């Protein structure tokens, strides 16, 4: 399995195992949201992969984005979900098959109202550095 697919699989599993996050979004942690999915939910967004291999070592840096969607009053619900995601993933230790996670860090987050979807939209970009085992 590619490092990108392995990382995404483990992120879904790790977020899905967080009881506090499940209280907020249920099992609605999705690769892509189908039509009429109930709010709130989390979707996996853009992923970028960069090779940082050297002459003696190989590895990758991955930037991935998670989107939080909420129709709660104000940004409170979206921010609570984002806090749980950050607490779960930032500096987290993920068990990856075939790869060692060097580090996993939240690089950027933003919450805003999306008029087109009539929902609060949280954007969270993480950076994961991985090496093959």
């Amino acid at each position: 399995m590619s490092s990108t697919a392995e990382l995404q699989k483990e992120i879904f599993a790790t977020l899905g195992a967080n009881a506090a996050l499940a209280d907020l979004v249920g099992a609605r942690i999705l690769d892509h949201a189908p039509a009429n999915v109930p709010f709130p939910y989390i979707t996996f967004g853009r992923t970028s992969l960069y090779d940082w291999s050297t002459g003696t070592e190989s590895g990758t840096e991955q930037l991935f984005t998670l989107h939080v969607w909420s129709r709660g009053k104000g940004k409170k619900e979206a921010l609570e979900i984002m806090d749980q995601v950050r607490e779960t993933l930032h500096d987290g230790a993920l068990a990856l098959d075939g790869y060692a996670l060097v580090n996993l860090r939240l690089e950027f987050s933003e919450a805003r109202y999306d008029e087109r979807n009539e929902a609060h939209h949280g954007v969270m970009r993480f950076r994961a550095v991985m090496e093959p085992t």
Side-chain angles (χ1 to χ4, degrees):
M1 183 179 289
S2 76
S3 62
T4 303
E6 179 62 24
L7 179 63
Q8 184 170 333
K9 179 186 82 157
E10 191 58 29
I11 297 236
F12 279 124
T14 301
L15 291 175
N18 179 321
L21 186 58
D23 286 345
L24 294 168
V25 298
R28 293 180 304 276
I29 301 169
L30 311 162
D31 191 26
H32 177 68
N36 300 320
V37 65
F39 286 82
Y41 60 90
I42 299 170
T43 57
F44 213 97
R46 175 180 284 189
T47 299
S48 302
L49 175 71
Y50 303 95
D51 182 12
W52 60 260
S53 298
T54 66
T56 58
E57 298 178 35
S58 62
T60 59
E61 172 188 43
Q62 294 186 44
L63 300 177
F64 66 90
T65 306
L66 296 174
H67 297 270
V68 172
W69 299 94
S70 166
R71 286 200 172 145
K73 223 174 203 183
K75 292 181 187 148
K76 182 179 185 234
E77 182 178 59
L79 293 172
E80 287 175 347
I81 295 167
M82 292 170 72
D83 281 345
Q84 281 300 315
V85 169
R86 181 190 48 76
E87 286 180 23
T88 304
L89 296 180
H90 183 79
D91 281 336
L94 305 180
L96 303 170
D97 188 25
Y99 301 91
L101 182 65
V102 176
N103 66 36
L104 176 59
R105 312 240 347 138
L106 176 65
E107 286 200 329
F108 167 85
S109 65
E110 173 183 75
R112 65 180 186 269
Y113 185 74
D114 183 322
E115 290 182 16
R116 187 183 71 176
N117 292 306
E118 297 179 353
H120 295 280
H121 180 196
V123 179
M124 304 178 79
R125 185 178 60 225
F126 289 85
R127 176 181 178 260
V129 177
M130 301 165 56
E131 299 173 323
T133 53

